[in-house]
Amino acid sequence: YLVMKSLGAKDWATRLKMSQVYSDSSHSLQVHHIFPKASLKKDYQDKMINDIANLTYIGGKTNRKISNNDPSLYLKKILKEQGKESLEKQFVPPDPNLWELSAFPEFLKKRRGLIAEAINNFLARLD
């Protein structure tokens, strides 16, 4: 969260900067499964579904709006409307091939690397 916030990550629907405090409590920050649990539960174990690389932070209203939508659809819309920077600030690989359900393990691997790199860069700036 801190690394995303430091990069100026924004909510994907409202485009508000990431914050734990919003004036509207129904929009409070929530953890979002990029690939919905419902789409994964028959093929993957909870440990993989709840992997940090499948989680991001968005506002509650946005989380409810996305719901169980396929990431290949909603991420494509975000990319088109907001550009790849909006995804990159939340360490979502901008490659649409990785947003397919069949690519879930590869998505996790790629996003883990992006998260690790961002954390290392953040920590280096603290020196």
Side-chain angles (χ1 to χ4, degrees), residues 60-97:
K61 286 182 182 179
T62 303
N63 201 14
R64 288 185 293 281
K65 181 179 177 182
I66 293 173
S67 186
N68 288 332
N69 287 322
D70 189 312
S72 66
L73 300 176
Y74 78 84
L75 292 176
K76 184 177 183 179
K77 182 178 178 184
I78 293 167
L79 179 63
K80 181 180 178 185
E81 294 176 358
Q82 300 177 40
K84 71 179 184 175
E85 183 180 6
S86 64
L87 298 175
E88 289 174 340
K89 287 185 177 184
Q90 293 203 30
F91 321 120
V92 174
D95 178 358
N97 294 317

PDB file of all heavy atoms in Angstrom, residues 60-97:
ATOM      1  N   GLY A  60     -14.074   1.055  -2.133  1.00  0.00           N
ATOM      2  CA  GLY A  60     -15.178   0.126  -1.989  1.00  0.00           C
ATOM      3  C   GLY A  60     -16.179   0.181  -3.136  1.00  0.00           C
ATOM      4  O   GLY A  60     -16.639  -0.854  -3.617  1.00  0.00           O
ATOM      5  N   LYS A  61     -16.510   1.385  -3.577  1.00  0.00           N
ATOM      6  CA  LYS A  61     -17.462   1.509  -4.691  1.00  0.00           C
ATOM      7  C   LYS A  61     -16.892   0.861  -5.952  1.00  0.00           C
ATOM      8  O   LYS A  61     -17.600   0.180  -6.685  1.00  0.00           O
ATOM      9  CB  LYS A  61     -17.785   2.978  -4.964  1.00  0.00           C
ATOM     10  CG  LYS A  61     -18.690   3.600  -3.939  1.00  0.00           C
ATOM     11  CD  LYS A  61     -18.988   5.049  -4.310  1.00  0.00           C
ATOM     12  CE  LYS A  61     -19.864   5.711  -3.279  1.00  0.00           C
ATOM     13  NZ  LYS A  61     -20.150   7.116  -3.574  1.00  0.00           N
ATOM     14  N   THR A  62     -15.619   1.090  -6.187  1.00  0.00           N
ATOM     15  CA  THR A  62     -14.972   0.504  -7.365  1.00  0.00           C
ATOM     16  C   THR A  62     -14.924  -1.013  -7.244  1.00  0.00           C
ATOM     17  O   THR A  62     -15.184  -1.728  -8.213  1.00  0.00           O
ATOM     18  CB  THR A  62     -13.564   1.086  -7.548  1.00  0.00           C
ATOM     19  OG1 THR A  62     -13.673   2.502  -7.647  1.00  0.00           O
ATOM     20  CG2 THR A  62     -12.877   0.522  -8.767  1.00  0.00           C
ATOM     21  N   ASN A  63     -14.621  -1.495  -6.062  1.00  0.00           N
ATOM     22  CA  ASN A  63     -14.562  -2.937  -5.829  1.00  0.00           C
ATOM     23  C   ASN A  63     -15.921  -3.578  -6.110  1.00  0.00           C
ATOM     24  O   ASN A  63     -16.006  -4.624  -6.768  1.00  0.00           O
ATOM     25  CB  ASN A  63     -14.114  -3.216  -4.393  1.00  0.00           C
ATOM     26  CG  ASN A  63     -13.544  -4.597  -4.207  1.00  0.00           C
ATOM     27  OD1 ASN A  63     -13.223  -5.301  -5.150  1.00  0.00           O
ATOM     28  ND2 ASN A  63     -13.416  -4.993  -2.952  1.00  0.00           N
ATOM     29  N   ARG A  64     -16.978  -2.945  -5.652  1.00  0.00           N
ATOM     30  CA  ARG A  64     -18.321  -3.475  -5.905  1.00  0.00           C
ATOM     31  C   ARG A  64     -18.675  -3.372  -7.389  1.00  0.00           C
ATOM     32  O   ARG A  64     -19.340  -4.249  -7.937  1.00  0.00           O
ATOM     33  CB  ARG A  64     -19.343  -2.746  -5.039  1.00  0.00           C
ATOM     34  CG  ARG A  64     -19.246  -3.130  -3.559  1.00  0.00           C
ATOM     35  CD  ARG A  64     -20.326  -2.494  -2.721  1.00  0.00           C
ATOM     36  NE  ARG A  64     -20.214  -1.046  -2.608  1.00  0.00           N
ATOM     37  CZ  ARG A  64     -19.385  -0.389  -1.798  1.00  0.00           C
ATOM     38  NH1 ARG A  64     -18.557  -1.079  -1.025  1.00  0.00           N
ATOM     39  NH2 ARG A  64     -19.363   0.926  -1.746  1.00  0.00           N
ATOM     40  N   LYS A  65     -18.221  -2.317  -8.039  1.00  0.00           N
ATOM     41  CA  LYS A  65     -18.502  -2.139  -9.469  1.00  0.00           C
ATOM     42  C   LYS A  65     -17.802  -3.222 -10.299  1.00  0.00           C
ATOM     43  O   LYS A  65     -18.391  -3.804 -11.201  1.00  0.00           O
ATOM     44  CB  LYS A  65     -18.037  -0.752  -9.919  1.00  0.00           C
ATOM     45  CG  LYS A  65     -18.296  -0.443 -11.368  1.00  0.00           C
ATOM     46  CD  LYS A  65     -17.819   0.959 -11.714  1.00  0.00           C
ATOM     47  CE  LYS A  65     -18.013   1.242 -13.185  1.00  0.00           C
ATOM     48  NZ  LYS A  65     -17.522   2.576 -13.544  1.00  0.00           N
ATOM     49  N   ILE A  66     -16.544  -3.491  -9.985  1.00  0.00           N
ATOM     50  CA  ILE A  66     -15.800  -4.527 -10.710  1.00  0.00           C
ATOM     51  C   ILE A  66     -16.353  -5.903 -10.371  1.00  0.00           C
ATOM     52  O   ILE A  66     -16.466  -6.765 -11.248  1.00  0.00           O
ATOM     53  CB  ILE A  66     -14.288  -4.448 -10.395  1.00  0.00           C
ATOM     54  CG1 ILE A  66     -13.695  -3.162 -10.970  1.00  0.00           C
ATOM     55  CG2 ILE A  66     -13.560  -5.675 -10.941  1.00  0.00           C
ATOM     56  CD1 ILE A  66     -12.253  -2.909 -10.573  1.00  0.00           C
ATOM     57  N   SER A  67     -16.664  -6.122  -9.100  1.00  0.00           N
ATOM     58  CA  SER A  67     -17.239  -7.367  -8.615  1.00  0.00           C
ATOM     59  C   SER A  67     -16.438  -8.572  -9.108  1.00  0.00           C
ATOM     60  O   SER A  67     -15.226  -8.635  -8.908  1.00  0.00           O
ATOM     61  CB  SER A  67     -18.702  -7.458  -9.032  1.00  0.00           C
ATOM     62  OG  SER A  67     -19.307  -8.589  -8.464  1.00  0.00           O
ATOM     63  N   ASN A  68     -17.091  -9.504  -9.776  1.00  0.00           N
ATOM     64  CA  ASN A  68     -16.440 -10.725 -10.275  1.00  0.00           C
ATOM     65  C   ASN A  68     -16.144 -10.646 -11.760  1.00  0.00           C
ATOM     66  O   ASN A  68     -16.041 -11.675 -12.425  1.00  0.00           O
ATOM     67  CB  ASN A  68     -17.314 -11.950  -9.982  1.00  0.00           C
ATOM     68  CG  ASN A  68     -17.316 -12.309  -8.522  1.00  0.00           C
ATOM     69  OD1 ASN A  68     -16.358 -12.052  -7.800  1.00  0.00           O
ATOM     70  ND2 ASN A  68     -18.398 -12.891  -8.061  1.00  0.00           N
ATOM     71  N   ASN A  69     -16.004  -9.441 -12.280  1.00  0.00           N
ATOM     72  CA  ASN A  69     -15.723  -9.289 -13.708  1.00  0.00           C
ATOM     73  C   ASN A  69     -14.352  -9.844 -14.063  1.00  0.00           C
ATOM     74  O   ASN A  69     -13.417  -9.805 -13.268  1.00  0.00           O
ATOM     75  CB  ASN A  69     -15.806  -7.821 -14.125  1.00  0.00           C
ATOM     76  CG  ASN A  69     -17.235  -7.331 -14.153  1.00  0.00           C
ATOM     77  OD1 ASN A  69     -18.135  -8.047 -14.547  1.00  0.00           O
ATOM     78  ND2 ASN A  69     -17.432  -6.100 -13.721  1.00  0.00           N
ATOM     79  N   ASP A  70     -14.250 -10.340 -15.255  1.00  0.00           N
ATOM     80  CA  ASP A  70     -13.019 -10.912 -15.781  1.00  0.00           C
ATOM     81  C   ASP A  70     -11.979  -9.808 -15.966  1.00  0.00           C
ATOM     82  O   ASP A  70     -12.270  -8.782 -16.577  1.00  0.00           O
ATOM     83  CB  ASP A  70     -13.351 -11.568 -17.128  1.00  0.00           C
ATOM     84  CG  ASP A  70     -12.219 -12.385 -17.678  1.00  0.00           C
ATOM     85  OD1 ASP A  70     -11.081 -11.884 -17.707  1.00  0.00           O
ATOM     86  OD2 ASP A  70     -12.481 -13.520 -18.098  1.00  0.00           O
ATOM     87  N   PRO A  71     -10.763  -9.997 -15.445  1.00  0.00           N
ATOM     88  CA  PRO A  71      -9.741  -8.951 -15.591  1.00  0.00           C
ATOM     89  C   PRO A  71      -9.394  -8.647 -17.049  1.00  0.00           C
ATOM     90  O   PRO A  71      -9.020  -7.519 -17.364  1.00  0.00           O
ATOM     91  CB  PRO A  71      -8.531  -9.491 -14.835  1.00  0.00           C
ATOM     92  CG  PRO A  71      -8.775 -10.945 -14.689  1.00  0.00           C
ATOM     93  CD  PRO A  71     -10.254 -11.150 -14.711  1.00  0.00           C
ATOM     94  N   SER A  72      -9.580  -9.614 -17.926  1.00  0.00           N
ATOM     95  CA  SER A  72      -9.279  -9.341 -19.335  1.00  0.00           C
ATOM     96  C   SER A  72     -10.244  -8.303 -19.903  1.00  0.00           C
ATOM     97  O   SER A  72      -9.928  -7.633 -20.890  1.00  0.00           O
ATOM     98  CB  SER A  72      -9.321 -10.617 -20.174  1.00  0.00           C
ATOM     99  OG  SER A  72     -10.620 -11.146 -20.228  1.00  0.00           O
ATOM    100  N   LEU A  73     -11.389  -8.118 -19.259  1.00  0.00           N
ATOM    101  CA  LEU A  73     -12.353  -7.106 -19.692  1.00  0.00           C
ATOM    102  C   LEU A  73     -12.149  -5.777 -18.973  1.00  0.00           C
ATOM    103  O   LEU A  73     -11.997  -4.733 -19.600  1.00  0.00           O
ATOM    104  CB  LEU A  73     -13.784  -7.615 -19.476  1.00  0.00           C
ATOM    105  CG  LEU A  73     -14.159  -8.888 -20.225  1.00  0.00           C
ATOM    106  CD1 LEU A  73     -15.554  -9.339 -19.837  1.00  0.00           C
ATOM    107  CD2 LEU A  73     -14.049  -8.669 -21.724  1.00  0.00           C
ATOM    108  N   TYR A  74     -12.145  -5.808 -17.629  1.00  0.00           N
ATOM    109  CA  TYR A  74     -12.079  -4.530 -16.918  1.00  0.00           C
ATOM    110  C   TYR A  74     -10.695  -3.896 -16.968  1.00  0.00           C
ATOM    111  O   TYR A  74     -10.587  -2.669 -17.019  1.00  0.00           O
ATOM    112  CB  TYR A  74     -12.637  -4.639 -15.490  1.00  0.00           C
ATOM    113  CG  TYR A  74     -11.743  -5.266 -14.451  1.00  0.00           C
ATOM    114  CD1 TYR A  74     -10.774  -4.524 -13.785  1.00  0.00           C
ATOM    115  CD2 TYR A  74     -11.893  -6.605 -14.101  1.00  0.00           C
ATOM    116  CE1 TYR A  74      -9.979  -5.099 -12.811  1.00  0.00           C
ATOM    117  CE2 TYR A  74     -11.099  -7.180 -13.127  1.00  0.00           C
ATOM    118  CZ  TYR A  74     -10.145  -6.421 -12.484  1.00  0.00           C
ATOM    119  OH  TYR A  74      -9.360  -6.984 -11.515  1.00  0.00           O
ATOM    120  N   LEU A  75      -9.630  -4.684 -16.994  1.00  0.00           N
ATOM    121  CA  LEU A  75      -8.290  -4.092 -17.111  1.00  0.00           C
ATOM    122  C   LEU A  75      -8.094  -3.485 -18.496  1.00  0.00           C
ATOM    123  O   LEU A  75      -7.428  -2.454 -18.646  1.00  0.00           O
ATOM    124  CB  LEU A  75      -7.204  -5.123 -16.803  1.00  0.00           C
ATOM    125  CG  LEU A  75      -7.133  -5.612 -15.355  1.00  0.00           C
ATOM    126  CD1 LEU A  75      -6.070  -6.700 -15.215  1.00  0.00           C
ATOM    127  CD2 LEU A  75      -6.859  -4.466 -14.386  1.00  0.00           C
ATOM    128  N   LYS A  76      -8.669  -4.115 -19.503  1.00  0.00           N
ATOM    129  CA  LYS A  76      -8.595  -3.583 -20.868  1.00  0.00           C
ATOM    130  C   LYS A  76      -9.263  -2.205 -20.929  1.00  0.00           C
ATOM    131  O   LYS A  76      -8.740  -1.280 -21.557  1.00  0.00           O
ATOM    132  CB  LYS A  76      -9.285  -4.554 -21.832  1.00  0.00           C
ATOM    133  CG  LYS A  76      -9.192  -4.175 -23.281  1.00  0.00           C
ATOM    134  CD  LYS A  76      -9.847  -5.250 -24.141  1.00  0.00           C
ATOM    135  CE  LYS A  76      -9.715  -4.939 -25.612  1.00  0.00           C
ATOM    136  NZ  LYS A  76     -10.321  -6.000 -26.432  1.00  0.00           N
ATOM    137  N   LYS A  77     -10.382  -2.076 -20.245  1.00  0.00           N
ATOM    138  CA  LYS A  77     -11.101  -0.791 -20.210  1.00  0.00           C
ATOM    139  C   LYS A  77     -10.266   0.268 -19.481  1.00  0.00           C
ATOM    140  O   LYS A  77     -10.169   1.414 -19.935  1.00  0.00           O
ATOM    141  CB  LYS A  77     -12.452  -0.974 -19.523  1.00  0.00           C
ATOM    142  CG  LYS A  77     -13.284   0.274 -19.482  1.00  0.00           C
ATOM    143  CD  LYS A  77     -14.636   0.027 -18.839  1.00  0.00           C
ATOM    144  CE  LYS A  77     -15.414   1.327 -18.788  1.00  0.00           C
ATOM    145  NZ  LYS A  77     -16.685   1.194 -18.100  1.00  0.00           N
ATOM    146  N   ILE A  78      -9.660  -0.111 -18.366  1.00  0.00           N
ATOM    147  CA  ILE A  78      -8.808   0.826 -17.618  1.00  0.00           C
ATOM    148  C   ILE A  78      -7.632   1.264 -18.480  1.00  0.00           C
ATOM    149  O   ILE A  78      -7.301   2.449 -18.541  1.00  0.00           O
ATOM    150  CB  ILE A  78      -8.324   0.183 -16.297  1.00  0.00           C
ATOM    151  CG1 ILE A  78      -9.509  -0.019 -15.353  1.00  0.00           C
ATOM    152  CG2 ILE A  78      -7.237   1.037 -15.639  1.00  0.00           C
ATOM    153  CD1 ILE A  78      -9.212  -0.919 -14.169  1.00  0.00           C
ATOM    154  N   LEU A  79      -7.008   0.300 -19.151  1.00  0.00           N
ATOM    155  CA  LEU A  79      -5.879   0.610 -20.025  1.00  0.00           C
ATOM    156  C   LEU A  79      -6.293   1.599 -21.112  1.00  0.00           C
ATOM    157  O   LEU A  79      -5.602   2.591 -21.362  1.00  0.00           O
ATOM    158  CB  LEU A  79      -5.330  -0.674 -20.648  1.00  0.00           C
ATOM    159  CG  LEU A  79      -4.153  -0.527 -21.601  1.00  0.00           C
ATOM    160  CD1 LEU A  79      -2.929   0.026 -20.883  1.00  0.00           C
ATOM    161  CD2 LEU A  79      -3.825  -1.868 -22.241  1.00  0.00           C
ATOM    162  N   LYS A  80      -7.423   1.359 -21.725  1.00  0.00           N
ATOM    163  CA  LYS A  80      -7.905   2.219 -22.811  1.00  0.00           C
ATOM    164  C   LYS A  80      -8.249   3.621 -22.316  1.00  0.00           C
ATOM    165  O   LYS A  80      -7.901   4.615 -22.942  1.00  0.00           O
ATOM    166  CB  LYS A  80      -9.129   1.580 -23.472  1.00  0.00           C
ATOM    167  CG  LYS A  80      -9.693   2.382 -24.620  1.00  0.00           C
ATOM    168  CD  LYS A  80     -10.903   1.712 -25.225  1.00  0.00           C
ATOM    169  CE  LYS A  80     -11.478   2.572 -26.337  1.00  0.00           C
ATOM    170  NZ  LYS A  80     -12.712   2.009 -26.870  1.00  0.00           N
ATOM    171  N   GLU A  81      -8.931   3.711 -21.172  1.00  0.00           N
ATOM    172  CA  GLU A  81      -9.417   4.997 -20.678  1.00  0.00           C
ATOM    173  C   GLU A  81      -8.382   5.793 -19.894  1.00  0.00           C
ATOM    174  O   GLU A  81      -8.422   7.020 -19.890  1.00  0.00           O
ATOM    175  CB  GLU A  81     -10.658   4.785 -19.805  1.00  0.00           C
ATOM    176  CG  GLU A  81     -11.846   4.271 -20.577  1.00  0.00           C
ATOM    177  CD  GLU A  81     -13.048   3.975 -19.698  1.00  0.00           C
ATOM    178  OE1 GLU A  81     -12.955   4.125 -18.452  1.00  0.00           O
ATOM    179  OE2 GLU A  81     -14.094   3.590 -20.251  1.00  0.00           O
ATOM    180  N   GLN A  82      -7.454   5.096 -19.213  1.00  0.00           N
ATOM    181  CA  GLN A  82      -6.538   5.788 -18.305  1.00  0.00           C
ATOM    182  C   GLN A  82      -5.064   5.609 -18.656  1.00  0.00           C
ATOM    183  O   GLN A  82      -4.214   6.250 -18.046  1.00  0.00           O
ATOM    184  CB  GLN A  82      -6.780   5.316 -16.871  1.00  0.00           C
ATOM    185  CG  GLN A  82      -8.193   5.582 -16.390  1.00  0.00           C
ATOM    186  CD  GLN A  82      -8.430   5.041 -15.005  1.00  0.00           C
ATOM    187  OE1 GLN A  82      -7.583   5.133 -14.126  1.00  0.00           O
ATOM    188  NE2 GLN A  82      -9.592   4.462 -14.787  1.00  0.00           N
ATOM    189  N   GLY A  83      -4.771   4.712 -19.556  1.00  0.00           N
ATOM    190  CA  GLY A  83      -3.386   4.471 -19.930  1.00  0.00           C
ATOM    191  C   GLY A  83      -2.718   3.453 -19.027  1.00  0.00           C
ATOM    192  O   GLY A  83      -3.206   3.137 -17.948  1.00  0.00           O
ATOM    193  N   LYS A  84      -1.580   2.954 -19.500  1.00  0.00           N
ATOM    194  CA  LYS A  84      -0.911   1.880 -18.757  1.00  0.00           C
ATOM    195  C   LYS A  84      -0.332   2.350 -17.430  1.00  0.00           C
ATOM    196  O   LYS A  84      -0.124   1.553 -16.531  1.00  0.00           O
ATOM    197  CB  LYS A  84       0.135   1.188 -19.619  1.00  0.00           C
ATOM    198  CG  LYS A  84       1.363   1.972 -19.935  1.00  0.00           C
ATOM    199  CD  LYS A  84       2.320   1.131 -20.778  1.00  0.00           C
ATOM    200  CE  LYS A  84       3.603   1.875 -21.008  1.00  0.00           C
ATOM    201  NZ  LYS A  84       4.584   1.057 -21.710  1.00  0.00           N
ATOM    202  N   GLU A  85      -0.109   3.649 -17.283  1.00  0.00           N
ATOM    203  CA  GLU A  85       0.426   4.167 -16.022  1.00  0.00           C
ATOM    204  C   GLU A  85      -0.496   3.844 -14.842  1.00  0.00           C
ATOM    205  O   GLU A  85      -0.023   3.540 -13.748  1.00  0.00           O
ATOM    206  CB  GLU A  85       0.649   5.675 -16.130  1.00  0.00           C
ATOM    207  CG  GLU A  85       1.279   6.270 -14.896  1.00  0.00           C
ATOM    208  CD  GLU A  85       1.500   7.770 -15.017  1.00  0.00           C
ATOM    209  OE1 GLU A  85       1.066   8.393 -16.003  1.00  0.00           O
ATOM    210  OE2 GLU A  85       2.122   8.306 -14.095  1.00  0.00           O
ATOM    211  N   SER A  86      -1.803   3.895 -15.059  1.00  0.00           N
ATOM    212  CA  SER A  86      -2.743   3.606 -13.972  1.00  0.00           C
ATOM    213  C   SER A  86      -2.619   2.157 -13.503  1.00  0.00           C
ATOM    214  O   SER A  86      -2.820   1.859 -12.328  1.00  0.00           O
ATOM    215  CB  SER A  86      -4.176   3.909 -14.391  1.00  0.00           C
ATOM    216  OG  SER A  86      -4.572   3.069 -15.441  1.00  0.00           O
ATOM    217  N   LEU A  87      -2.272   1.265 -14.409  1.00  0.00           N
ATOM    218  CA  LEU A  87      -2.051  -0.128 -14.042  1.00  0.00           C
ATOM    219  C   LEU A  87      -0.662  -0.318 -13.445  1.00  0.00           C
ATOM    220  O   LEU A  87      -0.494  -1.025 -12.443  1.00  0.00           O
ATOM    221  CB  LEU A  87      -2.225  -1.033 -15.260  1.00  0.00           C
ATOM    222  CG  LEU A  87      -3.621  -1.037 -15.891  1.00  0.00           C
ATOM    223  CD1 LEU A  87      -3.620  -1.879 -17.159  1.00  0.00           C
ATOM    224  CD2 LEU A  87      -4.667  -1.533 -14.914  1.00  0.00           C
ATOM    225  N   GLU A  88       0.325   0.322 -14.028  1.00  0.00           N
ATOM    226  CA  GLU A  88       1.705   0.163 -13.571  1.00  0.00           C
ATOM    227  C   GLU A  88       1.895   0.674 -12.144  1.00  0.00           C
ATOM    228  O   GLU A  88       2.695   0.122 -11.399  1.00  0.00           O
ATOM    229  CB  GLU A  88       2.660   0.867 -14.527  1.00  0.00           C
ATOM    230  CG  GLU A  88       2.769   0.151 -15.865  1.00  0.00           C
ATOM    231  CD  GLU A  88       3.593   0.893 -16.895  1.00  0.00           C
ATOM    232  OE1 GLU A  88       3.789   2.121 -16.757  1.00  0.00           O
ATOM    233  OE2 GLU A  88       4.036   0.234 -17.850  1.00  0.00           O
ATOM    234  N   LYS A  89       1.170   1.724 -11.761  1.00  0.00           N
ATOM    235  CA  LYS A  89       1.293   2.243 -10.395  1.00  0.00           C
ATOM    236  C   LYS A  89       0.723   1.278  -9.367  1.00  0.00           C
ATOM    237  O   LYS A  89       0.965   1.425  -8.179  1.00  0.00           O
ATOM    238  CB  LYS A  89       0.626   3.611 -10.278  1.00  0.00           C
ATOM    239  CG  LYS A  89       1.442   4.693 -10.954  1.00  0.00           C
ATOM    240  CD  LYS A  89       0.850   6.059 -10.745  1.00  0.00           C
ATOM    241  CE  LYS A  89       1.746   7.111 -11.394  1.00  0.00           C
ATOM    242  NZ  LYS A  89       1.257   8.460 -11.140  1.00  0.00           N
ATOM    243  N   GLN A  90      -0.031   0.300  -9.842  1.00  0.00           N
ATOM    244  CA  GLN A  90      -0.510  -0.766  -8.960  1.00  0.00           C
ATOM    245  C   GLN A  90       0.153  -2.096  -9.333  1.00  0.00           C
ATOM    246  O   GLN A  90      -0.305  -3.158  -8.951  1.00  0.00           O
ATOM    247  CB  GLN A  90      -2.036  -0.848  -9.002  1.00  0.00           C
ATOM    248  CG  GLN A  90      -2.662   0.403  -8.396  1.00  0.00           C
ATOM    249  CD  GLN A  90      -4.058   0.178  -7.912  1.00  0.00           C
ATOM    250  OE1 GLN A  90      -4.423  -0.907  -7.496  1.00  0.00           O
ATOM    251  NE2 GLN A  90      -4.857   1.214  -7.945  1.00  0.00           N
ATOM    252  N   PHE A  91       1.227  -2.006 -10.084  1.00  0.00           N
ATOM    253  CA  PHE A  91       2.077  -3.152 -10.439  1.00  0.00           C
ATOM    254  C   PHE A  91       1.335  -4.227 -11.230  1.00  0.00           C
ATOM    255  O   PHE A  91       1.660  -5.406 -11.152  1.00  0.00           O
ATOM    256  CB  PHE A  91       2.746  -3.756  -9.199  1.00  0.00           C
ATOM    257  CG  PHE A  91       3.193  -2.720  -8.215  1.00  0.00           C
ATOM    258  CD1 PHE A  91       2.704  -2.707  -6.920  1.00  0.00           C
ATOM    259  CD2 PHE A  91       4.061  -1.713  -8.598  1.00  0.00           C
ATOM    260  CE1 PHE A  91       3.089  -1.722  -6.035  1.00  0.00           C
ATOM    261  CE2 PHE A  91       4.447  -0.722  -7.712  1.00  0.00           C
ATOM    262  CZ  PHE A  91       3.961  -0.729  -6.425  1.00  0.00           C
ATOM    263  N   VAL A  92       0.348  -3.813 -11.999  1.00  0.00           N
ATOM    264  CA  VAL A  92      -0.370  -4.745 -12.868  1.00  0.00           C
ATOM    265  C   VAL A  92       0.363  -4.773 -14.203  1.00  0.00           C
ATOM    266  O   VAL A  92       0.506  -3.732 -14.850  1.00  0.00           O
ATOM    267  CB  VAL A  92      -1.843  -4.317 -13.076  1.00  0.00           C
ATOM    268  CG1 VAL A  92      -2.529  -5.213 -14.098  1.00  0.00           C
ATOM    269  CG2 VAL A  92      -2.584  -4.349 -11.743  1.00  0.00           C
ATOM    270  N   PRO A  93       0.855  -5.932 -14.610  1.00  0.00           N
ATOM    271  CA  PRO A  93       1.545  -6.019 -15.903  1.00  0.00           C
ATOM    272  C   PRO A  93       0.631  -5.525 -17.026  1.00  0.00           C
ATOM    273  O   PRO A  93      -0.524  -5.945 -17.104  1.00  0.00           O
ATOM    274  CB  PRO A  93       1.844  -7.507 -16.059  1.00  0.00           C
ATOM    275  CG  PRO A  93       1.664  -8.114 -14.715  1.00  0.00           C
ATOM    276  CD  PRO A  93       0.730  -7.233 -13.957  1.00  0.00           C
ATOM    277  N   PRO A  94       1.120  -4.639 -17.883  1.00  0.00           N
ATOM    278  CA  PRO A  94       0.263  -4.086 -18.931  1.00  0.00           C
ATOM    279  C   PRO A  94       0.058  -4.999 -20.135  1.00  0.00           C
ATOM    280  O   PRO A  94      -0.540  -4.582 -21.111  1.00  0.00           O
ATOM    281  CB  PRO A  94       0.990  -2.796 -19.326  1.00  0.00           C
ATOM    282  CG  PRO A  94       2.415  -3.055 -19.020  1.00  0.00           C
ATOM    283  CD  PRO A  94       2.428  -3.977 -17.832  1.00  0.00           C
ATOM    284  N   ASP A  95       0.500  -6.229 -20.060  1.00  0.00           N
ATOM    285  CA  ASP A  95       0.345  -7.190 -21.148  1.00  0.00           C
ATOM    286  C   ASP A  95      -1.024  -7.867 -21.063  1.00  0.00           C
ATOM    287  O   ASP A  95      -1.263  -8.684 -20.160  1.00  0.00           O
ATOM    288  CB  ASP A  95       1.454  -8.241 -21.066  1.00  0.00           C
ATOM    289  CG  ASP A  95       1.357  -9.312 -22.138  1.00  0.00           C
ATOM    290  OD1 ASP A  95       0.413  -9.288 -22.956  1.00  0.00           O
ATOM    291  OD2 ASP A  95       2.244 -10.195 -22.153  1.00  0.00           O
ATOM    292  N   PRO A  96      -1.961  -7.554 -21.968  1.00  0.00           N
ATOM    293  CA  PRO A  96      -3.299  -8.141 -21.922  1.00  0.00           C
ATOM    294  C   PRO A  96      -3.319  -9.676 -21.973  1.00  0.00           C
ATOM    295  O   PRO A  96      -4.271 -10.287 -21.494  1.00  0.00           O
ATOM    296  CB  PRO A  96      -4.001  -7.557 -23.158  1.00  0.00           C
ATOM    297  CG  PRO A  96      -3.247  -6.316 -23.470  1.00  0.00           C
ATOM    298  CD  PRO A  96      -1.820  -6.590 -23.063  1.00  0.00           C
ATOM    299  N   ASN A  97      -2.289 -10.287 -22.510  1.00  0.00           N
ATOM    300  CA  ASN A  97      -2.236 -11.750 -22.535  1.00  0.00           C
ATOM    301  C   ASN A  97      -2.178 -12.331 -21.128  1.00  0.00           C
ATOM    302  O   ASN A  97      -2.633 -13.448 -20.895  1.00  0.00           O
ATOM    303  CB  ASN A  97      -1.038 -12.235 -23.354  1.00  0.00           C
ATOM    304  CG  ASN A  97      -1.171 -11.876 -24.816  1.00  0.00           C
ATOM    305  OD1 ASN A  97      -2.235 -12.017 -25.407  1.00  0.00           O
ATOM    306  ND2 ASN A  97      -0.097 -11.377 -25.398  1.00  0.00           N
TER     307      ASN A  97
END
